[in-house]
Amino acid sequence: MKLPRDFYARDTLLVARELLGMHLVHVGAGSAGWRRVGRIVETEAYKGADGDRAAHSWRGPTPRNRVMFGPPGHAYVYFVYGMHFCFNVVTEPEERACAVLVRALEPVEGLSERTSGPALLCRAMGIDRSCNGVDLCGPVLWIEEPGGGAAARRRVRVGRSARIGVDYAGAWAQRPWRFFDRDSTFVSTARRSSARSPRTTRSTSSR
DNA sequence: GGCACGATTGCT
DNA sequence: GCAATCGTGCCT
């Protein structure tokens, strides 16, 4: 059953945690008729309105991040490193600029490529810039509770850690806002981030 | 208009 | 450890 918009309209940390075990579904239109399904096993929370400097939205709306400022339950897909896409779910009430990044999936149906890692899962699921802004309560791309319902989700043993690849965000990078299924072998392996000077304080008050 | 850098990945 | 590769956002 498709998750309703109310599910996404809640606190981002809660949504990030509860998305673990849910199924991400993407269907192709017309005669192409394909269907790809992956079980979410790793997520990260980003809270723009709270000043989270790791969030794309922390400075305010721009053409690129505008979807994050819109209503919850929509896909925020962005292009990075000149070659990759990352998939997020917009959370909390409009203007809160919060989202959950989906970082890894366990293949369930129609997936033949690797799904461990935010960019890899987008490639495997066929998610690209055309999915940006898509309503997750619509007929093309959505998240649903798998068969077995709440009982199945309850079995997820949730692990937490700091978010990956956001060292530039200073103290915000230390927050344990990454959630993962401790029993899944599809969780992305966090590459060793520069564990050097813990304090990279920059005071760029130029403007 | 220019330029540094990224919510990554893969190869050396 | 570093290149690939280009859109975005901040700067001159």
Side-chain angles (χ1 to χ4, degrees):
Chain A
M1 174 172 163
K2 255 173 228 182
L3 297 180
R5 200 170 309 285
D6 287 351
F7 177 90
Y8 304 104
R10 303 172 300 154
D11 175 75
T12 306
L13 296 182
L14 183 61
V15 174
R17 191 163 55 234
E18 293 192 1
L19 278 178
L20 295 179
M22 296 291 186
H23 283 186
L24 174 61
V25 185
H26 191 195
V27 297
S31 53
W34 46 264
R35 177 188 170 89
R36 300 177 188 176
V37 184
R39 177 176 179 272
I40 298 173
V41 296
E42 181 181 348
T43 61
E44 281 181 359
Y46 288 87
K47 307 186 65 164
D50 289 346
D52 174 11
R53 295 175 70 124
H56 288 167
S57 54
W58 80 276
R59 283 176 192 268
T62 68
R64 177 218 206 181
N65 67 24
R66 68 184 168 73
V67 175
M68 285 186 76
F69 289 82
H74 287 253
Y76 168 48
V77 179
Y78 64 90
F79 184 62
V80 276
Y81 295 110
M83 63 190 100
H84 299 303
F85 291 102
C86 289
F87 168 77
N88 298 257
V89 169
V90 177
T91 58
E92 305 200 19
E94 202 166 338
E95 299 302 325
R96 284 282 300 157
C98 296
V100 172
L101 169 70
V102 177
R103 294 190 53 92
L105 302 173
E106 215 170 270
V108 172
E109 179 187 335
L111 294 174
S112 53
E113 300 174 59
R114 280 173 299 170
T115 52
S116 297
L120 287 173
L121 79 84
C122 279
R123 191 150 55 113
M125 288 290 292
I127 293 172
D128 59 24
R129 73 180 83 243
S130 72
C131 296
N132 189 42
V134 165
D135 187 356
L136 296 176
C137 296
V140 179
L141 183 64
W142 70 87
I143 299 174
E144 62 183 30
E145 190 169 340
R153 269 211 334 283
R154 208 171 292 128
R155 291 206 314 267
V156 176
R157 292 199 304 150
V158 180
R160 294 183 64 159
S161 80
R163 292 170 295 180
I164 295 174
V166 294
D167 288 350
Y168 58 81
W172 291 95
Q174 323 268 341
R175 303 280 186 112
W177 288 358
R178 170 174 176 251
F179 300 86
F180 56 92
D181 179 345
R182 295 174 58 191
D183 300 308
S184 176
T185 58
F186 288 87
V187 172
S188 73
T189 55
R191 186 159 303 194
R192 197 87 203 102
S193 57
S194 54
R196 274 189 239 107
S197 54
R199 198 186 323 140
T200 316
T201 311
R202 281 187 311 165
S203 54
T204 19
S205 56
S206 58
R207 188 174 252 298

